[in-house]
Amino acid sequence: MKLDPQTALVHAERKAPQYIETVQAPIYRASTIIFKNTSALFDRHWTDDYDYSYGTHGTPTTYTLADNIAQIEGGHYCLLAPSGLSAINLVNSCFLSQGDEVWVADNIYGPNMEHLQDLAKRYGVIVKVYNALDVDSFQPSDKCKLLWLEAAGSVSLEFPDLVQLVKKAQALNILTALDNTWGAGLAFSPFDFSSEHLKVDISVHALTKYPSGGGDILMGSVVSQDKALHHKLFQTHAIQGISVSGDDVAQVQRSLASMQIRYEQQAKSALTLLAWLKQQKQFAQVLHPADPDAAGHQFWQEVCQTQKSAGLVSVIFNDHYDLTDIRKFCDNLNLFKLGFSWGGPVSLAMLYDLKKMRALDYPHLKQGFLVRFCIGLEEPNDLIQDIENALNKMK
Ligand SMILES: *Cc1c(COP(=O)(O)O)cnc(C)c1O
C-alpha cells in the first residue's frame, strides 16, 4: 500500500537492532502498549507479574526499577507511585474501610497522619496514636487492621521499638506497614531484621529521597513479600490509576547505582556533625539514633546491626531562643538551604515547633525550637563552619 507521507511518518519503523547495548536501559514511554494480536490481548491476565496491557500498569522501564527496589529492600514485589505520600495513600486506601482501626506512631511522617485524619473524618476510619518508644501504648482493639511504623521517626528521629511492636501486631494478625524512607533498605532489611529475623508486611519508601538522590524527582514505592497481599495492592493501584512517568523512573534508576555510596557518605558526614553539634552550648539536645544518649538508641542497635544510619540530625535549641532567633539562625545559613525533603546533594535545614506536632507527652525531648539538618554531599567541615557562622550571628 502506498502511504501518504503523513501516515508514513506516524508508522515509521522504530525498532532498535537487537545487538545495540547501552549502559542504561532504553526508556519506554507508554500509555498504549501495542498487542501483537488478539491472542496476546486475550491471553494476558492482570495478576501476571509483568502485565503489559497499558501504561498505567507498567512498562519494561517501570518494572526494572520496581524489581530493583524490591531487591534492595529484600521484598518480592514492588509497586511504584508518583510520590512517597501517594505510596502511603495506596496502602491506606487499600486496607482501611469504614470502622477499621489504624494505629500510627506520634512521630510518623506528618502528611501520613493528615491523610489518616481525613479518612477518619470522611469515612469513619478510627485513628489511634501510639508512642513509638513504648509498645504498651499500642493497644489495638479487634477492629485494628493496620499498624504504621516508621524507623527512625520523622523530625525527632526516635528509633521505635520495632521488634516488640511488630511481634505484638503479628500475634493479633494486624498488618504492619513500615515507612522505610530513612533506612532506604540499606540500614536494615524490613523483611529480615533483628536476631529474630522479623519482617513487616509492607515497606513504603519515598524514592524521592535517597534513590532519586537529586532533589528533583518525586516517586514512591510499596514493597511486599506475600503474593496475595501484593495482588490486593496491585488492584487498588490499578483502579486508582496510580502511575509514574518513564522518564522519571529512568532518572531514579540511573541514580540507584550510586545510592549506597551516597547514603554512607551522607551518614558519615552526619556523624561528624553530630559530634560537633553536641559540643555547642546553644543546643539543649542533639537528636540522632546512633547517639548513645538518644531515646530509642537500644532499638536502633537491635535492628540496625551494621550500625548504619541516614544523613539526618536534628537539634533542639535552648528554650530561651525564641522564634525570631531561630529564624535568624536559619536565614544566616548559607550552604544549608531552607527546604523540605532530603537525600539530595545539597544540605537542607528546616525549622519545627515540636509542641505543635505531637499529640502525646515526650519527657525525653527538651523544650525549644527544633532544626533538622539533612546532610548533602558537601565536605562536612564546611557545613560545620556554616552552622557556626549562623550561630555567631544569632546573639
Ligand atoms: C519525604 C517522605 C515521604 C513522602 O515522600 P514524597 O515523595 O515527598 O511525597 C514519606 N515518608 C517519609 C519518611 C519522608 O521523609
Side-chain angles (χ1 to χ4, degrees):
M1 191 163 76
K2 176 97 178 76
L3 298 177
D4 179 274
Q6 171 61 29
T7 308
L9 190 65
V10 172
H11 286 266
E13 185 61 54
R14 51 183 168 266
K15 285 191 179 66
Q18 284 295 318
Y19 58 81
I20 290 284
E21 193 180 351
T22 51
V23 173
Q24 302 293 341
I27 304 170
Y28 287 85
R29 300 183 185 89
S31 45
T32 300
I33 290 174
I34 297 168
F35 296 105
K36 227 171 160 166
N37 49 39
T38 52
S39 307
L41 173 66
F42 288 117
D43 290 349
R44 80 189 209 285
H45 192 265
W46 68 267
T47 59
D48 293 345
D49 280 345
Y50 300 98
D51 171 47
Y52 294 110
S53 294
Y54 193 61
T56 48
H57 292 204
T59 66
T61 302
T62 63
Y63 289 136
T64 299
L65 179 66
D67 285 352
N68 283 327
I69 299 295
Q71 193 201 329
I72 289 168
E73 300 207 21
H76 298 154
Y77 306 99
C78 173
L79 294 164
L80 299 176
S83 68
L85 184 55
S86 168
I88 288 169
N89 293 353
L90 168 61
V91 173
N92 286 335
S93 56
C94 183
F95 295 108
L96 296 174
S97 304
Q98 187 166 33
D100 288 345
E101 184 178 280
V102 53
W103 281 77
V104 262
D106 205 10
N107 60 2
I108 203 94
Y109 176 66
N112 187 357
M113 184 80 90
E114 284 167 40
H115 181 244
L116 288 169
Q117 276 158 358
D118 186 59
L119 292 182
K121 231 187 295 167
R122 304 192 316 145
Y123 302 117
V125 168
I126 300 158
V127 181
K128 300 273 191 174
V129 176
Y130 69 93
N131 173 350
L133 298 166
D134 175 16
V135 65
D136 291 334
S137 67
F138 167 50
Q139 291 291 344
S141 79
D142 54 8
K143 290 181 193 157
C144 182
K145 292 284 152 57
L146 180 64
L147 169 66
W148 266 109
L149 303 147
E150 189 175 323
S154 278
V155 181
S156 46
L157 301 171
E158 295 92 350
F159 206 93
D161 189 354
L162 208 56
V163 168
Q164 296 308 324
L165 286 162
V166 166
K167 280 166 77 170
K168 186 164 179 175
Q170 284 173 349
L172 298 165
N173 273 323
I174 294 166
L175 214 57
T176 50
L178 170 75
D179 185 327
N180 193 34
T181 306
W182 182 93
L186 299 173
F188 64 96
S189 169
F191 297 98
D192 181 8
F193 60 89
S194 86
S195 50
E196 299 181 59
H197 301 288
L198 297 171
K199 60 174 92 168
V200 295
D201 296 304
I202 296 161
S203 173
V204 168
H205 190 168
L207 306 182
T208 305
K209 309 291 164 57
Y210 288 109
S212 151
D216 53 353
I217 305 281
L218 289 156
M219 204 170 292
S221 60
V222 179
V223 170
S224 56
Q225 261 192 350
D226 181 79
K227 193 162 187 151
L229 190 75
H230 168 69
H231 281 160
K232 212 164 173 242
L233 285 159
F234 184 105
Q235 219 165 357
T236 305
H237 187 265
I239 61 174
Q240 293 191 349
I242 297 169
S243 72
V244 290
S245 134
D247 290 294
D248 285 353
V249 168
Q251 300 265 21
V252 176
Q253 175 64 36
R254 190 174 186 272
S255 297
L256 222 48
S258 64
M259 177 168 82
Q260 186 164 341
I261 294 168
R262 289 183 281 105
Y263 189 90
E264 288 184 4
Q265 183 58 47
Q266 292 177 337
K268 200 170 139 207
S269 299
L271 290 174
T272 304
L273 262 83
L274 168 68
W276 181 82
L277 291 166
K278 285 191 78 172
Q279 307 297 318
Q280 308 312 307
K281 60 183 189 313
Q282 290 88 345
F283 305 131
Q285 211 171 0
V286 184
L287 306 170
H288 187 297
D291 180 19
D293 297 335
H297 175 68
Q298 74 276 24
F299 304 134
W300 171 78
Q301 280 182 312
E302 192 178 20
V303 170
C304 301
Q305 290 182 351
T306 55
Q307 308 270 300
K308 285 191 187 168
S309 53
L312 296 173
V313 55
S314 294
V315 294
I316 297 182
F317 279 82
N318 287 320
D319 66 357
H320 63 81
Y321 292 110
D322 61 17
L323 184 58
T324 311
D325 299 323
I326 308 302
R327 286 180 59 172
K328 196 164 174 196
F329 169 77
C330 292
D331 288 338
N332 277 309
L333 290 168
N334 189 26
L335 295 175
F336 281 93
K337 304 300 178 190
L338 190 62
F340 292 106
S341 202
W342 35 283
V346 173
S347 291
L348 299 172
M350 185 47 66
L351 65 163
Y352 295 94
D353 186 357
L354 273 184
K355 286 195 297 293
K356 295 186 178 150
M357 297 166 63
R358 300 284 181 255
L360 308 174
D361 281 340
Y362 288 99
H364 71 273
L365 289 173
K366 296 266 173 27
Q367 300 289 316
F369 286 95
L370 183 148
V371 172
R372 183 185 69 180
F373 298 112
C374 311
I375 311 305
L377 291 169
E378 303 91 339
E379 162 61 37
N381 287 323
D382 289 338
L383 296 176
I384 287 173
Q385 272 192 17
D386 194 36
I387 296 174
E388 190 165 35
N389 177 52
L391 286 174
N392 289 339
K393 289 187 176 158
M394 208 167 60
K395 244 183 195 166

